[in-house]
Amino acid sequence: MASPRDDAPVESARHESPLGAARRRKTHLKVPEKSHRTAASKTAAARETMNEPTSIKVCCLGFGTVARGFLDVLRSKEEELERDFGLHVLISGVGTRHGSFVEPKGLRAGELQARVGDAGLPAPARSPHDLLAAAQADILVEATVMEHEAGAPQATAHIETAFSLGMDVITVNKGPVAWNFTRLNDLALAEGRRWRFEGTVADGMPVFSLLERALPGCKLLGFDAVFNSTTNFVLEEMAAGRSFADAVREAQAQGFAEADPSHDIDGWDAAAKAAALANVAMNAQITPADISRVSAREITREQILGARERGARLRIVSSCRLRDQADAARLPVLSRTRSDGRMPLWGRVASNDPTRASEGAGGLGNATRPASVDGSPVPIDVRQGVVELPLDHPLAHIATTSLGV
Amino acid sequence: MASPRDDAPVESARHESPLGAARRRKTHLKVPEKSHRTAASKTAAARETMNEPTSIKVCCLGFGTVARGFLDVLRSKEEELERDFGLHVLISGVGTRHGSFVEPKGLRAGELQARVGDAGLPAPARSPHDLLAAAQADILVEATVMEHEAGAPQATAHIETAFSLGMDVITVNKGPVAWNFTRLNDLALAEGRRWRFEGTVADGMPVFSLLERALPGCKLLGFDAVFNSTTNFVLEEMAAGRSFADAVREAQAQGFAEADPSHDIDGWDAAAKAAALANVAMNAQITPADISRVSAREITREQILGARERGARLRIVSSCRLRDQADAARLPVLSRTRSDGRMPLWGRVASNDPTRASEGAGGLGNATRPASVDGSPVPIDVRQGVVELPLDHPLAHIATTSLGV
């Protein structure tokens, strides 16, 4: 049992991590980060940097589970965003195909929730261009559902519209990243706009940020992922005795499978996530259509139960390899232990020698750069497959388990 | 199977991830990151930004496995560091208690390796102050082994000396972070120096960077970690039939347990890592002496085999909780699947509602801020314990398994 120091002054014992303070300083002062601020030095820093907060206005396209959850998050973190980052995030517009709400001055998340209520957005609906122009927002949060049509034309157009109006974009719809990453990214660069998409792959797990910001000296050699939670749920329900159809109905009843679940069941959702990750992190320049798909409809209960008898689970796994690194030793560095969104990313982040790895390899990762440097293409393989995973495989988890040491 | 586009121009098919390009731009231009550069826009950017690379000189204290591995990494990434970050990293000094090498102009890693060879550093040894002053380096890489003495006085003094000489510091020795984080961090701030320590906890897994850079809006609520690889190895060997003493000897023979393995076996190494992580990420202000320890000597083969019969593994787990968050639902966001260094970090990074989580929660995590905002202390509990882990628990992995989809 720990004994936190009782003699620490109240102020310095206040819980804010030094990491948080370093972030705040970065945000406010725009000076190079030098080290972690401790509580002792924070108050002065806060006084020094706490000027009027910056207001940022957001317009949401789509007002389903994700956008509503986003408002909940904003509301719960309002105080923190102001204190730690000097930000007021306001909502100046929300639109769906059925209705819209615009308030160019912007509302706090809670105010918007109170105004809109549970009834949904009032009529009339506006075109995305009209809504974005009227909302006078700084950022588009693109939160429409993934389109069934190839190319994700609507969501892509929303983003292009936002860029043309001088807005930055946060995409939580994976379609544009999966189908049109290069085109949209080039447009963002040409327009000088910022484009983020951390919510598109692996739910809240920071995949893109991990690679970009926490592993800046490393290259992704490949990944193995169980991307789709509806499929997992169905396979687990079938293992427990339900039929495929009943399992799908139960997933719909619990609210995470859509009315037409074929996007999930037939592998399109997983293919889109794999393409998005491969495009952003490996410059694959592929689309979901380039990836062979596996449908959960093809998996029988007998197969599932057979695996279970062998102490294993069946999973639909999306695997990506740099073609010349197919046999590379791999060290997963990130996985998430839930019934959804499992994804070890791998690369040689430290020495492959176990004696080395146990010692650590300093602050620099040891991932080799697999790319040719003469400009020739380095192709990748991405595919889906049904895999029987032993229980101790990182992709075989079914739930978060807590410990009580 | 994927079909990477054959019609892509050679230049744009060249494998460098857009993330890499974004990093380079950040490093060179010091402009706010706006979006990911694609291959198509990179060449111009490279021409625009590729001025003379910056030379950075490093002095290493300690020349064991870690420091030698660091040189190997530097050598293998020399070209990348120059191309992607505009950096020449040179070594201008290396010192141990037995010898030293100084070349104030700095040598490339390979040159230094050729000059020093396998024989070790030539006599005479120099005092750390003299070596650091003579090497005229920009950065100290502190790579001495963890001291058995409480307080890590030597490594701490090395860092203080480096700060006083105007150097930044990379610590791979966990002692200073575990024992003296607040003091050294305050000193770094006062001197305007940068201090990094990513190599101190969980080997090459980017724990601190993940929290600071990839999850800037989130707070760590706690962690469960299997920190020590020697102990794991010993427990696995005992499960396979060896005695405790034989297992320790084997770990020593394989080179990852030290001549005096008590630091690992008796829980001091794990306590130091737990204290380091709690200090940096949660402002715990504790030391390893504040953490109850468990010794692997207390675990019998009968206990290990009993767990194995129940399909489980025994592990020594370090757990940390914010005291008021003991029952918080947890979402592990990072684990590493090796025989060493396993550590899920958890917080509420997305909604706890499974229907929400399956939809993702946009780019913003939903971690609640557990701290009181009135300045009162928020204590933590950190402890070690022997835990019987089911095979599908994230901490129960024994090896990296590859897939062949």
Side-chain angles (χ1 to χ4, degrees):
Chain A
M1 174 99 78
S3 309
R5 285 183 5 202
D6 294 330
D7 58 341
V10 168
E11 184 178 289
S12 67
R14 182 175 160 181
H15 178 82
E16 179 186 12
S17 77
L19 296 177
R23 281 168 215 150
R24 185 177 58 221
R25 191 171 48 135
K26 254 191 309 195
T27 308
H28 282 272
L29 295 180
K30 309 289 185 199
V31 296
E33 174 209 342
K34 279 294 180 183
S35 78
H36 300 283
R37 275 185 194 274
T38 53
S41 60
K42 274 182 316 182
T43 311
R47 270 195 296 268
E48 175 186 305
T49 60
M50 268 303 162
N51 304 317
E52 276 304 292
T54 304
S55 282
I56 292 184
K57 288 190 294 183
V58 168
C59 183
C60 292
L61 285 173
F63 199 54
T65 311
V66 175
R68 289 166 192 264
F70 172 62
L71 293 184
D72 289 341
V73 171
L74 269 186
R75 196 182 51 192
S76 72
K77 296 178 90 73
E78 209 157 65
E79 197 182 302
E80 242 174 293
L81 289 170
E82 180 171 342
R83 186 186 51 224
D84 296 349
F85 300 93
L87 287 180
H88 274 172
V89 183
L90 303 171
I91 316 294
S92 60
V94 188
T96 69
R97 280 167 298 174
H98 310 294
S100 61
F101 181 91
V102 175
E103 175 49 74
K105 284 188 308 178
L107 297 172
R108 288 169 184 271
E111 292 170 335
L112 179 78
Q113 289 173 321
R115 293 271 282 279
V116 169
D118 292 331
L121 300 172
R126 303 182 186 219
S127 78
H129 185 281
D130 290 352
L131 177 69
L132 292 176
Q136 300 173 29
D138 306 293
I139 300 172
L140 162 63
V141 171
E142 216 296 333
T144 61
V145 297
M146 189 162 111
E147 297 155 64
H148 284 246
E149 197 179 340
Q154 294 184 44
T156 299
H158 297 162
I159 295 171
E160 290 171 330
T161 300
F163 287 156
S164 74
L165 291 169
M167 301 168 73
D168 293 331
V169 175
I170 297 169
T171 324
V172 295
N173 180 330
K174 68 192 84 67
V177 192
W179 289 96
N180 298 306
F181 174 71
T182 303
R183 179 171 124 207
L184 287 170
N185 196 59
D186 285 350
L187 182 62
L189 284 165
E191 303 276 351
R193 309 272 37 113
R194 190 186 300 241
W195 184 33
R196 304 300 295 177
F197 33 73
E198 191 64 276
T200 58
V201 174
D203 301 332
M205 191 164 74
V207 181
F208 299 111
S209 300
L210 178 91
L211 295 167
E212 181 183 357
R213 299 181 175 188
L215 293 168
C218 297
K219 296 287 181 289
L220 187 65
L221 305 182
F223 55 83
D224 296 310
V226 176
F227 278 126
N228 185 265
S229 57
T230 297
T231 311
N232 277 356
F233 179 86
V234 166
L235 296 179
E236 287 300 303
E237 289 289 298
M238 287 172 75
R242 288 188 197 248
S243 69
F244 174 81
D246 282 348
V248 171
R249 269 192 291 273
E250 179 63 27
Q252 290 168 323
Q254 292 196 17
F256 57 92
E258 295 180 52
D260 175 358
S262 56
H263 236 131
D264 292 327
I265 295 299
D266 295 329
W268 280 107
D269 176 73
K273 288 169 177 164
L277 182 55
N279 284 340
V280 177
M282 302 169 82
N283 198 22
Q285 306 195 32
I286 59 172
T287 78
D290 294 320
I291 301 174
S292 68
R293 281 168 296 103
V294 168
S295 173
R297 299 181 215 271
E298 301 161 17
I299 303 176
T300 66
R301 202 156 73 188
E302 287 63 39
Q303 292 172 311
I304 294 170
L305 295 176
R308 192 57 54 101
E309 277 167 24
R310 291 183 288 276
R313 293 195 177 97
L314 289 188
R315 286 287 180 262
I316 297 178
V317 176
S318 300
S319 288
C320 177
R321 305 276 182 273
L322 284 172
R323 198 167 290 162
D324 63 349
Q325 295 281 323
D327 300 321
R330 298 191 281 280
L331 297 182
V333 293
L334 183 114
S335 69
R336 183 169 167 184
T337 312
R338 284 181 57 85
S339 55
D340 53 350
R342 297 164 205 150
M343 179 170 55
L345 305 174
W346 45 266
R348 289 194 282 270
V349 294
S351 167
N352 291 322
D353 174 341
T355 62
R356 285 280 185 71
S358 71
E359 291 279 342
L364 269 192
N366 192 22
T368 45
R369 180 179 178 77
S372 64
V373 291
D374 63 356
S376 62
V378 179
I380 66 166
D381 294 319
V382 195
R383 58 174 96 182
Q384 291 179 14
V386 183
V387 181
E388 184 170 318
L389 293 168
L391 288 184
D392 60 352
H393 192 282
L395 294 176
H397 298 302
I398 53 164
T400 299
T401 330
S402 57
L403 291 171
V405 174
Chain B
M1 173 96 80
S3 310
R5 283 179 11 197
D6 293 330
D7 58 341
V10 168
E11 184 177 291
S12 68
R14 181 174 160 182
H15 178 82
E16 177 187 14
S17 78
L19 295 177
R23 281 169 215 148
R24 185 178 56 221
R25 191 170 49 133
K26 254 192 310 193
T27 307
H28 282 273
L29 296 179
K30 309 290 185 198
V31 297
E33 174 207 344
K34 279 294 181 185
S35 77
H36 299 282
R37 276 184 193 276
T38 53
S41 60
K42 274 184 314 182
T43 312
R47 270 195 296 269
E48 176 187 305
T49 59
M50 268 305 162
N51 304 317
E52 277 303 294
T54 304
S55 282
I56 292 184
K57 288 189 293 182
V58 167
C59 182
C60 293
L61 284 172
F63 199 54
T65 311
V66 176
R68 289 166 191 263
F70 172 63
L71 293 185
D72 289 342
V73 171
L74 268 187
R75 196 182 49 192
S76 71
K77 297 179 91 71
E78 210 157 65
E79 197 181 303
E80 243 174 293
L81 289 170
E82 180 170 343
R83 186 185 53 224
D84 296 350
F85 299 92
L87 288 181
H88 274 172
V89 183
L90 303 172
I91 315 293
S92 59
V94 187
T96 69
R97 279 168 298 175
H98 309 294
S100 61
F101 181 90
V102 174
E103 173 51 73
K105 283 189 309 178
L107 298 172
R108 288 170 184 270
E111 291 171 335
L112 179 78
Q113 289 173 322
R115 292 271 283 276
V116 169
D118 293 331
L121 300 172
R126 302 182 187 221
S127 77
H129 185 281
D130 290 352
L131 177 68
L132 292 175
Q136 300 173 28
D138 305 294
I139 300 172
L140 163 64
V141 171
E142 215 296 332
T144 60
V145 296
M146 190 163 111
E147 297 154 64
H148 283 246
E149 197 178 340
Q154 293 184 44
T156 300
H158 296 163
I159 295 171
E160 290 171 330
T161 300
F163 287 155
S164 75
L165 291 169
M167 302 168 72
D168 292 332
V169 174
I170 298 169
T171 323
V172 294
N173 180 329
K174 69 192 82 69
V177 191
W179 289 97
N180 298 306
F181 174 72
T182 304
R183 180 171 122 207
L184 288 170
N185 196 58
D186 286 349
L187 183 61
L189 284 164
E191 302 275 351
R193 308 272 39 111
R194 189 185 300 242
W195 184 33
R196 302 300 294 175
F197 33 74
E198 191 63 276
T200 57
V201 174
D203 302 332
M205 191 164 76
V207 182
F208 299 111
S209 299
L210 178 91
L211 295 167
E212 181 183 358
R213 300 181 175 188
L215 293 168
C218 298
K219 295 288 182 291
L220 187 65
L221 304 181
F223 56 83
D224 296 308
V226 176
F227 277 127
N228 185 266
S229 58
T230 297
T231 310
N232 278 356
F233 179 87
V234 166
L235 295 179
E236 286 301 303
E237 290 289 298
M238 287 173 73
R242 290 190 197 246
S243 69
F244 174 81
D246 281 348
V248 171
R249 269 192 291 273
E250 179 63 25
Q252 290 168 324
Q254 292 197 18
F256 58 90
E258 294 180 53
D260 175 359
S262 57
H263 236 131
D264 293 326
I265 295 299
D266 294 330
W268 281 107
D269 175 73
K273 288 169 177 163
L277 182 55
N279 284 340
V280 176
M282 302 170 82
N283 197 21
Q285 305 194 32
I286 59 172
T287 78
D290 294 319
I291 301 173
S292 67
R293 281 167 297 102
V294 167
S295 173
R297 300 181 215 270
E298 300 161 17
I299 302 175
T300 66
R301 201 155 75 188
E302 288 63 40
Q303 291 172 312
I304 295 169
L305 295 175
R308 192 57 54 103
E309 277 168 23
R310 291 183 289 275
R313 292 194 177 96
L314 290 189
R315 285 288 180 263
I316 297 178
V317 176
S318 301
S319 288
C320 176
R321 305 277 182 274
L322 284 171
R323 198 168 288 162
D324 63 349
Q325 293 283 322
D327 300 321
R330 298 190 281 279
L331 299 182
V333 293
L334 183 116
S335 68
R336 183 169 167 185
T337 311
R338 285 182 55 88
S339 56
D340 52 351
R342 296 163 203 151
M343 179 169 55
L345 305 173
W346 47 266
R348 290 194 281 270
V349 293
S351 167
N352 292 322
D353 175 341
T355 63
R356 286 280 185 68
S358 71
E359 291 278 345
L364 268 191
N366 191 21
T368 45
R369 179 178 177 78
S372 65
V373 290
D374 62 356
S376 62
V378 181
I380 64 167
D381 293 319
V382 195
R383 56 175 96 181
Q384 290 179 14
V386 182
V387 181
E388 184 170 317
L389 294 167
L391 287 184
D392 60 353
H393 192 281
L395 294 177
H397 298 303
I398 53 163
T400 300
T401 330
S402 56
L403 290 171
V405 174

